Amino acid sequence: MGFENKVAVITGGRRGIGRAIACLFAERGAAVVIADRRAEDAIAAAAGITACGQRAIAIPTDVANHQSAQDLIDNTMAEFGRIDILVNNAGVTRDTLIMRMTEEDWDFVLDVNLKGAWNCCKAAIRPMMKQRYGRIVNISSVSGLAGQAGQTNYSASKAGIIGMSKALAREVASRNITVNVVAPGFVPTALTEDLPQELKDSMMKLIPLGRWGQPEEIASAVAFLASDEAAYITGQVLSVDGGMMMM
């Protein structure tokens, strides 16, 4: 699954799952754009990839802002002349029970996780349609498939990504653009490190493989769906969760 001569944009690419995705695409030959709100960290992540001999740039981006997302794609096109792969990985949490959740908590998570993915998809679709080629992989979560107490905002945003992706997949399939979803299970990242230990222990009991996943394992699934080997797969959700959502 090589990505030579391909350009991949990864939002939230400075750390965790996003960084693992960016590194894997670069290792397989893609030019990589790391988009993130934290400009210095994004630049450092891109520099790390460049130091390994691959081409990577950082574009500071607030995906929740429509113009910022459009600028991301415009700047990518100006730099590389095309965009082949978009991975919408940027995500945030503000976990609490609904009785304590504020409207700001709800809006912030939905704006970044769901509206952010929509903003980037909307900006990327036009050049992809002109190319008659594109691969979009949106990152959801097991919380978007089954829900999670204390995460009405996060679960809603991740479930929304699934519905949005399926609708978009139908809109753009005739232009050789696929849209798929990866739904990770529990992975040690900045979003999960602050979870209460008792919750971590209870979640572990639900994982048939008996362990948490690794960012690189999520990245491998994303790379497959973005590859030409997956050209006949669109509108699908791939759970990478150690068997948690087995049906």
Side-chain angles (χ1 to χ4, degrees), residues 7-114:
V7 177
V9 174
I10 297 94
T11 70
R14 68 184 173 89
R15 65 180 182 181
I17 291 173
R19 186 160 185 167
I21 294 168
C23 288
L24 183 57
F25 277 118
E27 288 171 8
R28 296 186 180 178
V32 172
V33 177
I34 295 177
D36 203 284
R37 287 186 301 168
R38 296 180 181 267
E40 291 185 2
D41 292 342
I43 292 169
I49 292 174
T50 302
C52 296
Q54 306 298 333
R55 191 174 181 191
I57 65 170
I59 299 179
T61 306
D62 176 5
V63 297
N65 180 281
H66 181 78
Q67 186 59 54
S68 185
Q70 183 64 57
D71 290 344
L72 166 63
I73 303 304
D74 289 345
N75 289 332
T76 298
M77 294 296 295
E79 179 72 21
F80 297 106
R82 62 185 297 111
I83 173 174
D84 301 286
I85 300 161
L86 170 65
V87 181
N88 283 304
N89 168 74
V92 295
T93 58
R94 282 194 178 177
D95 294 352
T96 190
L97 297 175
I98 195 169
M99 291 182 293
R100 298 175 184 150
M101 187 176 291
T102 65
E103 184 178 6
E104 181 188 5
D105 292 333
W106 172 270
D107 288 345
F108 178 64
V109 172
L110 269 291
D111 281 350
V112 174
N113 296 2
L114 182 55

Side-chain angles (χ1 to χ4, degrees), residues 30-224:
V32 172
V33 177
I34 295 177
D36 203 284
R37 287 186 301 168
R38 296 180 181 267
E40 291 185 2
D41 292 342
I43 292 169
I49 292 174
T50 302
C52 296
Q54 306 298 333
R55 191 174 181 191
I57 65 170
I59 299 179
T61 306
D62 176 5
V63 297
N65 180 281
H66 181 78
Q67 186 59 54
S68 185
Q70 183 64 57
D71 290 344
L72 166 63
I73 303 304
D74 289 345
N75 289 332
T76 298
M77 294 296 295
E79 179 72 21
F80 297 106
R82 62 185 297 111
I83 173 174
D84 301 286
I85 300 161
L86 170 65
V87 181
N88 283 304
N89 168 74
V92 295
T93 58
R94 282 194 178 177
D95 294 352
T96 190
L97 297 175
I98 195 169
M99 291 182 293
R100 298 175 184 150
M101 187 176 291
T102 65
E103 184 178 6
E104 181 188 5
D105 292 333
W106 172 270
D107 288 345
F108 178 64
V109 172
L110 269 291
D111 281 350
V112 174
N113 296 2
L114 182 55
K115 183 183 176 184
W118 183 84
N119 281 339
C120 292
C121 285
K122 181 174 174 61
I125 281 299
R126 189 177 299 277
M128 285 183 174
M129 291 184 73
K130 288 182 179 179
Q131 295 167 182
R132 290 188 171 270
Y133 180 90
R135 300 284 182 266
I136 297 175
V137 183
N138 294 323
I139 306 300
S140 180
S141 167
V142 292
S143 294
L145 293 170
Q148 179 65 40
Q151 289 191 326
T152 52
N153 50 4
Y154 185 77
S155 295
S157 70
K158 293 301 187 177
I161 281 176
I162 293 172
M164 179 193 74
S165 299
K166 288 178 177 287
L168 181 57
R170 290 186 181 275
E171 289 185 19
V172 299
S174 65
R175 295 299 183 100
N176 194 31
I177 302 169
T178 65
V179 186
N180 290 291
V181 177
V182 170
F186 284 86
V187 177
T189 67
L191 291 184
T192 58
E193 64 184 0
D194 293 330
L195 292 175
Q197 188 59 47
E198 58 270 23
L199 176 59
K200 293 180 182 179
D201 293 341
S202 65
M203 290 298 101
M204 184 68 76
K205 296 176 182 178
L206 301 177
I207 304 173
L209 285 181
R211 65 175 179 86
W212 283 31
Q214 294 300 313
E216 294 75 15
E217 293 174 309
I218 310 304
S220 293
V222 172
F224 168 66

Side-chain angles (χ1 to χ4, degrees), residues 1 3 28 219-231 233 238:
M1 292 186 290
F3 295 106
R28 296 186 180 178
S220 293
V222 172
F224 168 66
L225 290 174
S227 72
D228 289 337
E229 284 85 345
I233 300 173
L238 176 58

